[in-house]
Amino acid sequence: MQCVVTGGNVKVLGKAVHSLSRIGDELYVEPQEEGLALRSVNSSRSAYASFLFAPLFFSRYSIPRGLNFRCKLAIKSVQTVFRSLATLEKTVEKCHIGLDEQKDRLTFTLHCKHGLLKTHNLSYQDSESLEAVFDKDSCANVFRAQPRVLVDTVVHFPTSLEEVTLTLSDERMWVRNHVEDEAERSKAVLTELCLAADEFDHFDIKLHNSITFCLKEFRGLLLFAESTGLPVTMYLDEPGSPVVLSVTDSVLEGNFVLATLSDDHYLRQSNRGADAEQTRPPDDFMNDDMDAYLIAMDSSVAPGPSTADPPSLAAFRKPPAPNYRTRTYSEEEEDGEEDPERPPDKKFRSLFFGSVLPPSPRRSSQPFTTQEVLASDSEEDEAEAD
Amino acid sequence: MKFRGKIIDVACLNHFTRVVTTISKLTKTCVLRLTPDNLFFILSGKVTNGGVGMWCELLQNNFFDEYQMEGVSSEFNQICLEVSPENLSRALRTVQCAKSVKIKLTKKHCACLTVAAELPTLSSASRVVTHDVPVEVIPRRLWQEFKEPVMPDFDVSIYLPPLKMLKNVVDRMKNLSNFLVIEANLNGEMNLKIQTDLVSVSTHFKDLGNPPWGEDASQDGGPSQRGDPELLAEATVDIRKLQQFLVGQQVNPTKAMCSKSNTLKLTMKIKCSAGGSWTH
């Protein structure tokens, strides 16, 4: 595999890497015929980002036919290659990315001014494919804005702030910080601002609702969008459905998929059809221990046995939002029902601390082996495969 | 109880924000006292604060274009609120480019100081950002704790050298010792000294000038400047507290003075051009 990036695109690539570092600690690299895919996911699988650089982005993009290669690297090491973007812009003429399969290394060579060559040999690990499945077209609410508008909006919220809520109506969008705890409410500053529809390049709202998601990853995307000047398109659907942020141009496409909070007041429309399940996939991991689930994810090297989708895909197919809440895992507690009524609200953070407890007894007594977890649940009507 | 103030001038907003930011560096929570003419930020110098007190007086007229307040009652036409200056400072800092900023007392889920700013946008409508900063109303019975501190009789009062310079000196001394001795006399000379087992360092300032006594309206009677002008009055202070005070200074003072009284109190007073004054 040989890829060469020249000129200003080196900085764009670097910015993408830095952006991805806001999501997770590992960079998943997958060279494909359609282009080079760089992806990252956070540890709780509630945020995913992917950049696809088309062959035209590169001055040279050659990958051997039939190359089925994917790997992951520590994102910090890749960031080192692209450290100090300002200097990069001034001194680097081109960046060459090569693959050394024998030594399990990806080599980044920066050709700088004055004949200086900086070579970084980064070891990689084989990894499973990381690809979220999401359907932008089925999202009810879409809007597109220049990055400046969004940056000016998030600047009002402290960097320590976790979540924001967007409330949508036909002509306006309200953005406010989300405070989970009742106790915090009396101490926290509540910030709210309103954006009018005419501040957006495109504002198409079909569903009036409120969506809550994490600001940190959103800022990650804005970092990239602001530096490249590309407008950001946001696809929102119901609370609980992931929100998708996109930046596109002719040679690259970046997508950030963020989990949203399931709203208590929004009863999942139960018994939604099979098609609907595509966007809110069935939960395989019901009643499963959070830790076991995560371990299962990491240990898989190949895509899941019985399904076309690798396990991490499965993770994404369930609405990431519920990842924040234990309810994802208890989604299937009711026998066979596609979308049972949500159990009581639990905090975002319970996910991280393994306090996912099945509110009701395990549906079956089958031991959940690793493979079982990865595999599509046979009791699920909805197959994992699309 | 009602309070509504509006700032339109960018410079006023900026100055006000800097004052609040300075206070936020000194303390996590303080009292905001509102009267028809003034705003006071007060930290009462109790022992719990390590003996540090702060009093900041701002003339509302210098900052607000519109200012309306109604106190607890017509007899006690004041409002006392406990607020976190950090929250207020953050809210103000994000709206520096606003066309106008309104600060008002509101009741949301609890009593709040709402900072509502109108931001310029490219579109037709202005964007309005509101920050609700939670506050606690302080009941009237506790108000006497927040009276203006009386300037004690002092031995020596001296103008300070530029605060930046002072801060640099104190920063370096802090690495060596925990306590600093400040000496000053009526001849405009001031020394900062530290002494440890291994080393002693002293920095001397000359020609600082002494404020004429009785210039301050708040002083009652004023001290009598007796004694030898060469005589150095001495006070030992905890360096960290001094540094904390200096670090916080973001406002450019026109005068800063330090007074040492025989009751072992060190008072630093800063007067700013916009008519704010602090006592620490």
Side-chain angles (χ1 to χ4, degrees):
Chain A
M1 176 189 99
Q2 308 282 336
C3 309
V4 181
V5 187
T6 47
N9 282 352
V10 179
K11 184 177 174 198
V12 175
L13 188 64
K15 231 10 198 224
V17 171
H18 287 298
S19 229
L20 290 169
S21 71
R22 297 291 185 99
I23 302 282
D25 294 327
E26 284 168 331
L27 182 69
Y28 290 74
V29 180
E30 186 171 346
Q32 300 166 319
E33 274 196 35
E34 312 85 80
L36 182 68
L38 299 178
R39 305 186 179 112
S40 188
V41 71
N42 72 355
S43 52
S44 59
R45 302 301 205 256
S46 59
Y48 159 95
S50 127
F51 282 95
L52 182 68
F53 295 96
L56 283 174
F57 177 81
F58 303 88
S59 58
R60 179 172 164 211
Y61 185 75
S62 57
I63 54 170
R65 276 216 170 277
L67 176 71
N68 185 22
F69 169 78
R70 56 187 91 85
C71 68
K72 63 181 179 185
L73 304 141
I75 213 170
K76 279 205 163 40
S77 29
V78 191
Q79 278 185 288
T80 325
V81 179
F82 297 101
R83 202 205 314 257
S84 177
L85 290 169
T87 338
L88 219 71
E89 207 178 0
K90 289 189 214 134
T91 58
V92 177
E93 286 158 8
K94 65 180 181 185
C95 170
H96 178 273
I97 307 173
L99 172 64
D100 186 345
E101 273 188 281
Q102 257 93 40
K103 292 193 193 156
D104 278 350
R105 285 203 304 221
L106 263 181
T107 306
F108 288 81
T109 311
L110 297 173
H111 296 249
C112 310
K113 275 198 195 141
H114 312 302
L116 193 67
L117 261 144
K118 291 192 211 173
T119 311
H120 299 256
N121 292 314
L122 305 175
S123 300
Y124 61 74
Q125 278 179 288
D126 283 320
S127 83
E128 70 270 25
S129 172
L130 181 77
E131 209 176 326
V133 170
F134 48 89
D135 187 1
K136 293 186 212 177
D137 297 325
S138 73
C139 285
N141 299 330
V142 183
F143 62 85
R144 187 168 67 246
Q146 292 300 318
R148 191 87 284 248
V149 174
L150 298 171
V151 169
D152 284 345
T153 305
V154 301
V155 82
H156 294 284
F157 298 90
T159 40
S160 56
L161 178 68
E162 297 259 338
E163 294 112 25
V164 277
T165 304
L166 298 186
T167 304
L168 305 161
S169 80
D170 280 331
E171 290 294 313
R172 292 182 182 283
M173 175 192 292
W174 284 269
V175 187
R176 55 178 203 280
N177 58 333
H178 176 85
V179 181
E180 184 86 18
D181 245 321
E182 274 314 305
E184 271 182 53
R185 274 180 175 278
S186 53
K187 289 186 236 143
V189 176
L190 293 182
T191 302
E192 180 172 314
L193 68 104
C194 180
L195 296 168
D198 56 1
E199 296 192 65
F200 295 87
D201 293 349
H202 176 80
F203 195 79
D204 181 20
I205 306 293
K206 294 196 186 71
L207 210 56
H208 295 188
N209 55 19
S210 288
I211 312 283
T212 303
F213 57 87
C214 215
L215 199 53
K216 175 176 159 224
E217 289 103 14
F218 185 65
R219 286 186 211 258
L221 175 79
L222 285 185
L223 201 76
F224 182 80
E226 209 193 356
S227 103
T228 53
L230 292 170
V232 177
T233 312
M234 256 177 99
Y235 299 86
L236 308 123
D237 204 47
E238 286 195 358
S241 261
V243 51
V244 183
L245 304 153
S246 272
V247 279
T248 342
D249 86 4
S250 51
V251 291
L252 68 89
E253 184 181 332
N255 286 308
F256 275 52
V257 183
L258 308 177
T260 63
L261 267 188
S262 286
D263 195 321
D264 253 354
H265 303 300
Y266 280 81
L267 269 186
R268 290 272 156 177
Q269 292 153 29
S270 44
N271 305 319
R272 274 175 90 182
D275 292 344
E277 272 306 286
Q278 288 301 327
T279 48
R280 206 170 311 107
D283 184 6
D284 272 344
F285 306 101
M286 46 128 239
N287 294 339
D288 207 3
D289 210 80
M290 184 53 192
D291 291 338
Y293 158 62
L294 280 179
I295 292 164
M297 302 305 289
D298 287 340
S299 62
S300 70
V301 173
S306 54
T307 67
D309 309 317
S312 27
L313 221 180
F316 272 92
R317 304 211 41 217
K318 71 159 79 45
N323 280 0
Y324 279 123
R325 295 170 174 267
T326 56
R327 63 183 55 181
T328 316
Y329 300 98
S330 33
E331 208 175 355
E332 258 69 41
E333 54 191 337
E334 261 115 290
D335 297 2
E337 249 178 48
E338 299 291 50
D339 270 309
E341 171 136 1
R342 297 267 163 208
D345 229 355
K346 293 205 176 76
K347 293 181 190 229
F348 263 170
R349 288 143 198 94
S350 59
L351 178 80
F352 304 168
F353 298 101
S355 62
V356 173
L357 299 171
S360 57
R362 287 179 170 237
R363 189 144 55 82
S364 66
S365 52
Q366 347 164 335
F368 283 94
T369 64
T370 303
Q371 285 303 70
E372 189 119 15
V373 165
L374 301 179
S376 160
D377 192 325
S378 53
E379 290 183 53
E380 273 306 312
D381 289 350
E382 195 47 37
E384 282 298 300
D386 325 20
Chain B
M1 263 196 304
K2 271 200 273 192
F3 168 63
R4 184 186 169 282
K6 189 165 170 185
I7 303 179
I8 296 183
D9 187 78
V10 161
C12 292
L13 178 61
N14 188 255
H15 196 167
F16 186 69
T17 308
R18 276 188 290 131
V19 171
V20 178
T21 307
T22 308
I23 296 172
S24 71
K25 299 222 197 301
L26 290 171
T27 174
K28 285 208 158 45
T29 136
C30 73
V31 171
L32 171 61
R33 188 169 140 215
L34 303 162
T35 68
D37 295 319
N38 294 306
L39 292 106
F40 301 91
F41 287 97
I42 306 163
L43 180 65
S44 54
K46 295 187 215 153
V47 179
T48 47
N49 287 318
V52 161
M54 177 200 66
W55 170 274
C56 174
E57 182 176 327
L58 302 169
L59 272 167
Q60 62 90 346
N61 207 27
N62 288 332
F63 298 95
F64 292 89
D65 286 274
E66 286 169 32
Y67 185 92
Q68 294 134 23
M69 69 136 314
E70 255 175 52
V72 168
S73 65
S74 48
E75 195 192 334
F76 299 97
N77 198 16
Q78 280 182 41
I79 302 175
C80 280
L81 304 167
E82 190 177 331
V83 68
S84 155
E86 170 72 27
N87 284 341
L88 196 55
S89 148
R90 265 208 224 125
L92 289 168
R93 271 183 285 165
T94 65
V95 299
Q96 289 299 295
C97 57
K99 289 199 273 198
S100 73
V101 176
K102 274 187 236 157
I103 306 179
K104 38 189 183 174
L105 188 61
T106 56
K107 177 123 177 90
K108 306 262 166 112
H109 50 275
C110 65
C112 285
L113 260 185
T114 298
V115 177
E118 208 182 314
L119 298 169
T121 62
L122 296 167
S123 82
S124 49
S126 287
R127 203 181 297 158
V128 176
V129 182
T130 52
H131 295 277
D132 293 318
V133 180
V135 296
E136 244 181 70
V137 179
I138 299 183
R140 190 153 43 85
R141 62 171 195 279
L142 297 171
W143 284 7
Q144 61 258 40
E145 290 183 23
F146 309 116
K147 286 219 208 80
E148 177 164 1
V150 171
M151 194 69 162
D153 278 353
F154 46 77
D155 300 334
V156 173
S157 179
I158 189 168
Y159 285 129
L160 291 171
L163 289 180
K164 250 204 183 127
M165 195 188 296
L166 201 60
K167 178 175 171 316
N168 278 336
V169 174
V170 173
D171 277 349
R172 277 147 187 70
M173 288 185 165
K174 174 172 161 299
N175 295 330
L176 296 168
S177 162
N178 278 341
F179 291 98
L180 173 80
V181 176
I182 302 183
E183 292 174 344
N185 69 16
L186 294 165
N187 250 2
E189 285 168 1
M190 184 169 100
N191 302 328
L192 298 176
K193 287 187 179 163
I194 53 165
Q195 187 123 26
T196 65
D197 291 337
L198 294 171
V199 68
S200 69
V201 184
S202 64
T203 307
H204 307 265
F205 297 92
K206 285 207 288 237
D207 297 325
L208 290 174
N210 302 83
W213 61 268
E215 54 143 34
D216 223 20
S218 56
Q219 281 183 33
D220 40 340
S224 48
Q225 295 196 114
R226 47 193 149 75
D228 181 6
E230 290 287 321
L231 193 69
L232 290 166
E234 197 183 287
T236 307
V237 292
D238 184 338
I239 283 199
R240 283 161 300 186
K241 293 282 182 305
L242 181 62
Q243 193 198 32
Q244 203 183 16
F245 169 67
L246 292 169
V247 149
Q249 295 311 311
Q250 294 203 349
V251 204
N252 292 323
T254 48
K255 289 198 285 243
M257 51 187 239
C258 167
S259 317
K260 188 254 161 193
S261 77
N262 53 10
T263 53
L264 300 174
K265 229 198 239 186
L266 191 66
T267 312
M268 303 198 124
K269 194 161 178 162
I270 296 187
K271 260 198 161 69
C272 307
S273 47
S277 83
W278 312 59
T279 311
H280 193 80

